[in-house]
Amino acid sequence: MANFNHLINREGTNSVKYDLRKEVFGKAGVIPMWVADMDFAMPPCVAEALKGRIEHGILGYSFRSEGFADAITTWLQRRHGVSFDTSSVCFSPGIVSALVVLIEAFTGKTDKILIQPPVYHPFFEVPLQNQRQVIWNELVYEGRRYHMDFDKLAKQLKEVRMVILSNPHNPVSRAWTEEELEKFGRLCLENQVIVVSDEIHSDLMLGGHRHTPLIKACPELAPYLITCYAPSKTFNLAGLSTSAVLISNPSMREQYNQTLQRLHMQMGNVLGQVAFETAYRGGEAWLDELLSYLNATVTSIEYRLSNEFPWLSMSEPEATYLLWLDFRKLGFSAEVLNRKLIEECGLGLSRGDQFGPGGAGFMRMNIAAPRSVINEAFERLKLLKI
Ligand SMILES: Cc1ncc(COP(=O)(O)O)c(C=O)c1O
């Protein structure tokens, strides 16, 4: 049994989440609940495999064996009931780097790329940094749940070259339903838009919600679809930079791989490959324990919110270990709210406005930490002067 209550000191490990607190929040002592990695040790089978590989002594140039593609496709079949051919599996160091390659491979300068804010900020930062235009299809918040604005989407898609979807959605914690995804996929198909479905959080489902891969909801979209997966969130391996980009359309796959090679990003790292394969083949029982732990944490937070924090609510947590907290009742600007949480509460959360239009007044909280840390964070939240 994994012990998720065990507190591991991450200070002094060059951890972005811990060791950059002073730079980011101006205060080294905040409880770090921002960057999306977990304060839990990786699955023991992964640690063992990495140790075994290190003991060999040589970490020279390596290639990805067939086991790489087999590990992810077998996982996706078993866990999410979706069949991908192993030939569709391509490599990327990370999913953000995959976005850079995909934009370079499939869009030209000034092409329009549609995203649905509030959303993971590289979805708009990467296109903008690469001189593409961003089209904003803002999500609508109703009854503690976000939904897509399909009417607007139908109009906007007419002028768009690519869409980037967060499925499930970071930061608003939506697990898109099959019906929503089918509607979304059909609209994209009608307009022959290239779709990137970022499914990096797909293994982290909460409250009995199930993940629906976009390709399963709308198989006809396959010729236009790119789906991204990684063990980095699921098994807490982000520092190993090993991810998978699945492309069924052979000519698009060729174009992706050529671009990856032109940018010299195809090599990958040998330890990442070991961790990737081992986690997908042997990490399932650990993941189920993790999900039980995260679900229990969410239940305890929901209880506290309704009993102790009448001024605070959150969107229904359906997926990811990131909660989307709604502070708008307090009426503070994004800047003031962030400052007060740092200075009065000693909490380091992600600012909602960082995720684009619709994010101001919200904060994203990473709850992938021992329950003692979460409890302490909510005690500190009571210190907020409202
Ligand atoms: C939706 C989404 N995509 C991608 C990433 C990051 O991926 P990577 O570290 O592989 O670039 C994150 C990290 O939080 C994320 O939430």
Side-chain angles (χ1 to χ4, degrees), residues 36 93-97 120 123 166 168 170 198 200-201 230 232-233 238 243 322 364:
I95 303 303
V96 176
S97 39
Y120 181 54
F123 280 24
S166 185
N170 168 19
D198 177 349
I200 193 170
H201 293 282
S232 47
K233 303 287 166 206
S243 309
L322 307 162
R364 192 189 75 173

Side-chain angles (χ1 to χ4, degrees), residues 108-121:
K109 295 262 187 279
T110 73
D111 265 348
K112 294 180 174 143
I113 300 179
L114 183 140
I115 55 156
Q116 297 170 301
V119 73
Y120 181 54
H121 43 93

